[in-house]
Amino acid sequence: QLQFVESGGGLVQPGGSLRLSCVASGASLDYYHIGWFRQAPGKEREGVSCLSSGDSTVIADSVKGRFTISRDNVKNTVYLQMNSLKPEDTAVYYCAAVHVTRSSWPVVSSCAPNRYHNWGQGTQVTVSS
């Protein structure tokens, strides 16, 4: 079964950068649509950016131009490069995936959390001066 372990979070000043990593085990990411999600205190979990098995991407308007999702299928790892961080980016960040036979990209391209599975434990990102 596919499992994820996220890392790379931490405390960063506004305007700074972080690169989150999500290492997968138990299955190859080649056949999964994958995504990064976040949940701030008192708020619902939201999609940040999602990436299809064919490398189509969607990204939330709130992070467009600042965040980039990518994958390395050799390392079976998903990344989220976060630049120009803002205090409102503070949240626990999670990765998750859905197998291509379970849902097609048009179904999951909304990057809605309830379409994804195999959640990792999350990594805390805090943006503060």
Side-chain angles (χ1 to χ4, degrees):
Q1 182 178 356
L2 181 67
Q3 293 183 316
F4 286 119
V5 176
E6 300 96 334
S7 63
L11 174 64
V12 62
Q13 292 186 342
S17 297
L18 284 174
R19 188 195 196 199
L20 305 184
S21 299
C22 182
V23 179
S25 62
S28 171
L29 287 179
D30 290 2
Y31 305 106
Y32 285 85
H33 310 305
I34 51 181
W36 281 99
F37 305 84
R38 68 185 181 185
Q39 188 165 17
K43 294 188 177 181
E44 292 187 355
R45 192 169 297 186
E46 63 176 356
V48 175
S49 186
C50 290
L51 179 65
S52 75
S53 61
D55 288 340
S56 297
T57 60
V58 293
I59 191 159
D61 288 343
S62 59
V63 304
K64 196 168 292 182
R66 301 187 296 122
F67 290 12
T68 304
I69 189 172
S70 62
R71 71 163 86 203
D72 184 331
N73 285 349
V74 173
K75 294 183 179 179
N76 223 30
T77 300
V78 186
Y79 302 101
L80 185 69
Q81 178 67 43
M82 306 188 296
N83 299 327
S84 302
L85 282 160
K86 303 176 181 181
E88 52 264 43
D89 296 318
T90 295
V92 179
Y93 284 72
Y94 302 87
C95 54
V98 57
H99 198 275
V100 297
T101 59
R102 187 165 183 174
S103 289
S104 64
W105 178 242
V107 172
V108 301
S109 62
S110 62
C111 208
N114 62 0
R115 297 288 191 180
Y116 287 78
H117 313 282
N118 307 97
W119 292 88
Q121 84 291 347
T123 185
Q124 175 71 46
V125 172
T126 303
V127 185
S128 176
S129 55

